[in-house]
Amino acid sequence: MSTELESRKALRNARRVLIKAGTSVVANEDGRPSLTRLGAICEQVADLHRRGIEVIMVSSGATGMGKRLMRKHGRMNMTMAEVASIGPTEDIGQDSDFAKRARSMSGEFGKLVKRTSFNRVVNSEERPHTYHDSKKTYDSACAAAGQFEMMNLYSSLFSQMEISAAQVLLTEDDFRNKEHLNNLHYSIERLLSVGIIPIINENDAVSANRGYTAGDLFSDNDSMAALCARSFACDLLILLTDVDGVFDRPPCEEGAKLLPFYSQTQSVGIGAKSLHGRGGMDSKISAAQSAVKPGSQCRACIVLSGADLNAIRSVTSREYDANIGQKGTLFATPESELEKQAIKEIEESQAASSVSVSDVAHQMATASRDQARKLQTLSHSERKAILYAVADALEAEKESLLAANKIDLDNAERDGTDIQLVRRLKLTDAKLATLSTGIRQIADQPDPLGVVKAKRELADGLILSRITVPIGVLMIIFESRPDSMPQISALALASGNGLLLKGGKEAAHSNEAIHKVIGDAIERGSGGKITRDVIALVTSRGQVADMLKLDDVVDLVIPRGSNALVSYIKANTRIPVLGHADGVCHVYVDKSAKDSSLVSKLVVDSKTDYPSACNAMETLLLHKDTLETTAAGNIAMSVLMSLRVAGVKCLGGPKAMKSGLCDIAAKEMKCEYGDLTCMVEIVDDMDEAIDWIHKYGSGHTEAIVCSEDSDAGEEFLKRVDAACVFKNASTRFADGFRFGLGAEVGISTGRIHARGPVGVEGLLTVKWQLRSSGVNCASEYAGDDAPKVFTHKEL
């Protein structure tokens, strides 16, 4: 933002500021202090101090630091036998000389050592308190140990800047007791008056990190910071946390937006709290609202990321720095002039934002349609050249594509992205090679455009034809799966369609890199006749809901992602949707199946070849006769053993549990697990299997395993109502590439237009062409004495 909002500008006039640093800011995940973040905080506090601004700090992190210290000293006090018994730890390696000596001595001295170690005190079952009580008292000891280390660190950092700090440990009683509170006020004011920075923390060594209720004054350092801001007449409270501010939903979710201002009536989704500490975003919101409640001299609170090394400076420096920008979420006292100004700014911003994601997408879709109309006029050989250029570019630029993909993978690991999305996110050399091969297959197919599907003579000299044409502009919304983009782009180019793509934020770098490679290849392969606008990538961070309103410029939506995404899109757009919400695929093992090794091979492949794919087996149905032991063996037990050896967790349906085939019951009969989990159920016959599939399946892909000479296979193929039905073949064959389509834009479980893997043909519609020799008028064919008559002859 080039200019600063007036509501933020007012904060720079604050004369007394309280800064609270959360545990996730002060310490790393292993409990060790983050010197980078702490150093930056101390530098920014020093800047304020030199300008004559009074600073009070509330710092978490002591307990986390203390735990590491307590573990270290606890191990130093262990007996040799105890060291051997607990095995390797982060401090004692499996192969260290100390560990080896401990193991060798444990047998000799294990029974002789009588003294009680730290390890025994912590874990003894004979101690007089409950586990919950011991946890609190243990944390109290950790807090006491960590406070000294934390203050030493602050003292060392501030001393480099010629600033002194003082430690103030508080409990709730210090605020309830009038005499204590008066002494506390005097201490804080006196410290500030002589230029010493008070660093406040809860005295957990006394309060024992106990559980809190709604009646308590504070329940964590966030609420204590709010209480201190009010009690010590601070103008501004800054809460440093591990995210950029308050979002309208958990920031890890697609489409989450940072709120620049939080109104008192706001409602947001709250994600998980940080690994250490007792707070979380919910506690910070409550604390911020408490700090600025009516009657408090603290008129504003900012929640922002402590990982940003300019966080405090962005709020409190003398002048606004556009390079640093506006950060965090503002809370203001209700009905105050500051709140009124902030609300006014938000309303003005919303009104001025005429270019929303839908507006950007609308412009892109319009440009894509224009280029697509040029594309369909090119000859088949020209479109083929474009496709070959794209395939060659994916191979030539694989290093840059894999590098961009690695950034997304690293971000996903850092953000704790769902493992299924991570699996779909990863690109490899093999994937890129397969994509290039598939695109060349598409290029080598016959021209799909202008194919005459029907031709009829209406009358003498009047010929009607129905030919294939592109649908128009396709909108593809996909989560993760950056490999979807080349497949979909190739199919669109082959079929003459324009494309509007919206990928998930978890694949942002991969998508942009792939889009650039494809765009360059299109312009190069077409000799400049077609621009990269024919395939548009929407990178604006906005709601999918906005794009679903583009029914005037988008002809078909194809969602590629989770059940929730597909269901949401189907329920919230007037644009036709092609796709499937679920991939609940079944494999039914018929009683005629005799070779247990072949049955097991097919079932294991269906589940484990790619567990997160929509065509992976989710439910295994076993004919009851497969449980019997015959000369050929026990089919059911062999299959389950093979699944378990492959790492598959088998959950049991009602009959499977009753027979003892499975140990853990399935919670629901219809579930797309998307990992190495499947459900197993027993059926009496094929009729019951088909009824089960129709009741609990999703119409995606169903397979039967039977003997070659059994009639069951053909009957199953005929009777099962699904997009794909297989006999003695893995469900994983339900794929556009394996079907010889070259690629697919998705798999449709609908019944209109396209069903199953959707390739080029599924992206076409038709138009009618009427050719007349001479002039023909409809009136010439009307009435009993019409001069012309219809012949309606098929040609």
Side-chain angles (χ1 to χ4, degrees), residues 257-275:
K257 290 182 178 180
L258 177 67
L259 303 175
F261 172 70
Y262 190 99
S263 68
Q264 297 295 312
T265 58
Q266 194 97 30
S267 176
V268 299
I270 303 297
K273 76 180 189 71
S274 64
L275 184 63

Side-chain angles (χ1 to χ4, degrees), residues 8 12 40-41 44 238-241 302-317 324-328:
R8 296 302 184 96
R12 301 187 187 279
I41 290 171
Q44 293 171 94
I238 297 176
L239 296 177
L240 298 177
T241 182
I302 293 282
V303 178
L304 72 171
S305 173
D308 187 326
L309 304 186
N310 285 308
I312 299 170
R313 195 170 287 119
S314 71
V315 179
T316 60
S317 64
I324 296 176
Q326 174 183 293
K327 301 180 185 296

Side-chain angles (χ1 to χ4, degrees), residues 295-507:
S296 170
Q297 185 170 327
C298 183
R299 59 201 177 101
C301 174
I302 293 282
V303 178
L304 72 171
S305 173
D308 187 326
L309 304 186
N310 285 308
I312 299 170
R313 195 170 287 119
S314 71
V315 179
T316 60
S317 64
R318 290 181 187 276
E319 302 291 337
Y320 174 68
D321 187 341
N323 293 321
I324 296 176
Q326 174 183 293
K327 301 180 185 296
T329 301
L330 170 66
F331 292 74
T333 302
E335 303 301 324
S336 67
E337 291 302 315
L338 182 62
E339 185 195 51
K340 292 175 183 177
Q341 177 65 31
I343 292 174
K344 178 183 176 183
E345 289 164 354
I346 292 296
E347 292 174 346
E348 289 175 349
S349 174
Q350 291 174 344
S353 296
S354 57
V355 182
S356 66
V357 64
S358 59
D359 293 320
V360 172
H362 193 284
Q363 295 168 10
M364 288 181 170
T366 301
S368 179
R369 187 183 295 280
D370 291 342
Q371 291 302 311
R373 285 172 175 158
K374 295 177 183 178
L375 178 65
Q376 61 182 285
T377 64
L378 298 183
S379 67
H380 181 227
S381 60
E382 289 175 308
R383 281 183 277 117
K384 183 174 179 177
I386 295 174
L387 289 169
Y388 264 88
V390 171
D392 293 342
L394 289 176
E395 293 178 337
E397 300 294 332
K398 71 176 182 180
E399 296 302 328
S400 63
L401 297 179
L402 293 176
N405 185 241
K406 187 177 185 304
I407 296 174
D408 289 329
L409 290 170
D410 291 343
N411 290 342
E413 182 178 0
R414 181 199 64 201
D415 298 340
T417 302
D418 182 80
I419 187 63
Q420 292 185 41
L421 287 178
V422 174
R423 287 171 183 158
R424 295 171 179 175
L425 175 61
K426 188 173 183 179
L427 290 175
T428 62
D429 286 346
K431 273 190 178 181
L432 291 173
T434 300
L435 288 170
S436 295
T437 300
I439 292 171
R440 292 188 182 100
Q441 282 185 4
I442 294 171
D444 291 337
Q445 292 174 357
D447 191 354
L449 298 181
V451 176
V452 178
K453 307 298 287 185
K455 192 172 184 179
R456 180 178 301 126
E457 180 190 84
L458 301 185
D460 185 30
L462 197 59
I463 306 299
L464 178 67
S465 302
R466 186 178 62 169
I467 65 167
T468 55
V469 294
I471 288 176
V473 175
L474 316 175
M475 180 194 296
I476 316 294
I477 300 173
F478 56 100
E479 295 173 330
S480 198
R481 292 189 182 277
D483 57 329
S484 296
M485 189 187 296
Q487 296 181 55
I488 295 165
S489 298
L491 292 170
L493 292 169
S495 57
N497 285 288
L499 207 53
L500 187 63
L501 299 165
K502 179 75 167 76
K505 67 177 182 180
E506 65 281 347

Side-chain angles (χ1 to χ4, degrees), residues 712-731:
E714 291 303 316
E715 185 179 353
F716 187 88
L717 292 173
K718 182 178 180 180
R719 290 176 56 190
V720 171
D721 184 9
C724 300
V725 188
F726 300 158
K727 171 187 172 183
N728 291 336
S730 169
T731 57

Side-chain angles (χ1 to χ4, degrees), residues 154-170:
Y154 275 120
S155 178
S156 298
L157 291 170
F158 277 128
S159 66
Q160 303 299 314
M161 305 159 198
E162 299 182 346
I163 293 175
S164 297
Q167 182 180 39
V168 181
L169 296 178
L170 302 176

